[in-house]
Amino acid sequence: MPRESQLSLVLTTDTVPDQEKVAYWNDAVSRALVPVTVAPRDGRRFDGRIASDSLGYLRVSRMEADAGRVSRTPALIERSPEALVAAGLLVSGSATFIQDGRRAEMGGGDLVFYDTARPFSFTYPERFATHVFQLPRHVLGVTDSDIRRVTGTAIDTAQGLGAVLRPFLATLADAAPSYPAAVGHRLAGHVVDLFATLITDQALRDPDDGRDHLVVSIRAHIDRKLGDPSLSPESIARAHHISVRYLHRLFEGEGVTVSRLIQQRRLEACGRELARRGRVTPTVSAVARRWGFVNPAHFSRAFRAAYGLSPREWRTLHLERGEGEQPAGPALT
């Protein structure tokens, strides 16, 4: 009986002209994994090779390349919001991985989990080889909070479940092109079980979810203080007894800076009030001041950039329609 083939992809810079290698490699990694930005080390010769195979809903990739940085930004996530959980097993070389304000220094044999729906970066200071395993977020059946506890932390592969998983993943990656489709589907199910178990185990070993609670507290503080013109990263940091630098680190995984979040929430509040029908219609400037905008011209520019209409046009549109619904949130660019 003929074997059903797997979906395979092999991309290499071997035959690409030197001046085109960076652009080619950026596209190659984005095609094989998720859209990312790749920045090789300046002034250095660059070559890379990536091979990917699909085993059911599991995507297995083997990548080897020269030094550089791979990053997934909020803008890339907005354009391609794949909800995948990935595991990176560093085969050789070293790397620094950052997600959710956490930093993991990796060496050969280290494993790290990450979520493609949130910004992340890998920095490779030297030539490296790595295996990447990607699964749809929903098949894992673990909570968002457990995934957040694990991302950005190197998994110990010298003992426990990590020691079991490391050789299995290495063998799986090397042999991925040879598996029949039916075997690939079964293997994907086993990987899901192993990943879910390891994530849950790691989360239980790190019960401190104070960081998540702090982000929730800061977001609530922002909503309470929207009308205060002095609301800023500095005032928020003081109120929560943390440094401004740490505040910004907390929001690295939130997909928006603190300052942009404040403006976004203020614009949403203004949009709701301007769309509301009532006996008394406050002026646009009064609405802007009530929600912390002290400069009317700045408010008008920010509102138009977010909603595509001036505040007055927005109000007129909703009053004419007789609508007072909550407007959609402004886009973050």
Side-chain angles (χ1 to χ4, degrees), residues 3-4 21 24 58 113 124 132 153 155 165 201 222 247 284 291 299:
R3 290 199 325 187
E4 183 181 347
K21 283 186 176 181
Y24 176 89
L58 172 67
F113 283 102
Y124 302 98
V132 180
T153 303
I155 305 298
L165 196 55
D201 178 66
I222 289 172
L247 173 66
V284 169
W291 295 107
F299 167 65

Side-chain angles (χ1 to χ4, degrees), residues 6-238:
Q6 300 295 317
L7 177 62
S8 298
L9 176 70
V10 179
L11 299 167
T12 177
T13 60
D14 285 350
T15 60
V16 178
D18 288 345
Q19 66 273 20
E20 299 175 13
K21 283 186 176 181
V22 173
Y24 176 89
W25 185 243
N26 199 101
D27 180 67
V29 177
S30 295
R31 286 175 60 192
L33 303 177
V34 290
V36 292
T37 297
V38 182
R41 290 280 290 273
D42 292 338
R44 299 209 180 180
R45 182 176 176 274
F46 180 82
D47 280 295
R49 181 182 188 277
I50 187 165
S52 293
D53 295 275
S54 292
L55 306 180
Y57 45 68
L58 172 67
R59 187 74 172 167
V60 182
S61 300
R62 302 165 300 284
M63 178 167 61
E64 182 177 0
D66 287 317
R69 187 171 189 269
V70 178
S71 56
R72 184 154 164 83
T73 64
L76 287 172
I77 292 170
E78 185 176 351
R79 293 199 294 268
S80 56
E82 291 91 341
L84 305 175
V85 170
L89 176 64
L90 192 62
V91 178
S92 64
S94 61
T96 298
F97 174 71
I98 296 176
Q99 185 170 56
D100 296 334
R102 289 177 174 164
R103 179 187 184 97
E105 300 295 340
M106 303 176 64
D110 285 342
L111 177 71
V112 69
F113 283 102
Y114 55 100
D115 187 340
T116 68
R118 302 200 301 280
F120 66 80
S121 69
F122 283 93
T123 301
Y124 302 98
E126 57 192 338
R127 188 166 181 83
F128 68 94
T130 188
H131 298 330
V132 180
F133 306 84
Q134 295 181 136
L135 287 162
R137 166 69 186 78
H138 65 86
V139 303
L140 278 173
V142 295
T143 65
D144 286 334
S145 61
D146 280 353
I147 291 178
R148 284 180 179 269
R149 286 193 185 101
V150 173
T151 53
T153 303
I155 305 298
D156 185 359
T157 58
Q159 57 184 344
L161 289 174
V164 174
L165 196 55
R166 174 182 169 183
F168 170 72
L169 291 178
T171 302
L172 178 66
D174 291 338
S178 66
Y179 293 122
V183 174
H185 280 281
R186 286 183 174 273
L187 285 170
H190 292 307
V191 172
V192 165
D193 290 339
L194 288 169
F195 279 7
T197 302
L198 183 57
I199 289 171
T200 301
D201 178 66
Q202 291 294 127
L204 290 174
R205 292 172 185 270
D206 180 22
D208 180 14
D209 58 353
R211 179 188 176 280
D212 288 339
H213 287 161
L214 184 54
V215 171
V216 171
S217 176
I218 289 170
R219 284 180 170 272
H221 176 86
I222 289 172
D223 286 342
R224 288 195 306 270
K225 298 287 186 178
L226 283 179
D228 183 354
S230 67
L231 181 65
S232 66
E234 291 75 17
S235 70
I236 294 169
R238 283 195 303 271

